[in-house]
Amino acid sequence: MAQSAIAPAPLTPPAVAKLPIRAILPWAAFFGLLMLILLYFVGAEQGAVSLFSGAGVHEWVHDGRHLLGFPCH
């Protein structure tokens, strides 16, 4: 068995970097808006209110509608 001549360093907790709310808020608003747009296309497009005519959007999000519990037919 070999012995080490160097003593192990004491364990110190890692420093936590503080992130200000002003840095997070624009990204949170952007992703929140993106999620609302995605929810609209999955849940409401081709329904009573539709932005695009035809069934193209419906076919692209069809499986996602059923996965999330939205009825579509």
Side-chain angles (χ1 to χ4, degrees), residues 4 14 17 20 22 27-29 32 39-40 43 46 48 61 63 65 72:
S4 175
R22 289 182 182 224
W27 289 103
L39 182 64
Y40 167 76
Q46 300 297 325
V61 297
D63 293 336
R65 287 178 188 225
C72 64

Side-chain angles (χ1 to χ4, degrees), residues 28-44:
F30 171 70
F31 283 113
L33 181 64
L34 194 63
M35 290 299 113
L36 284 174
I37 291 171
L38 181 66
L39 182 64
Y40 167 76
F41 277 108
V42 171

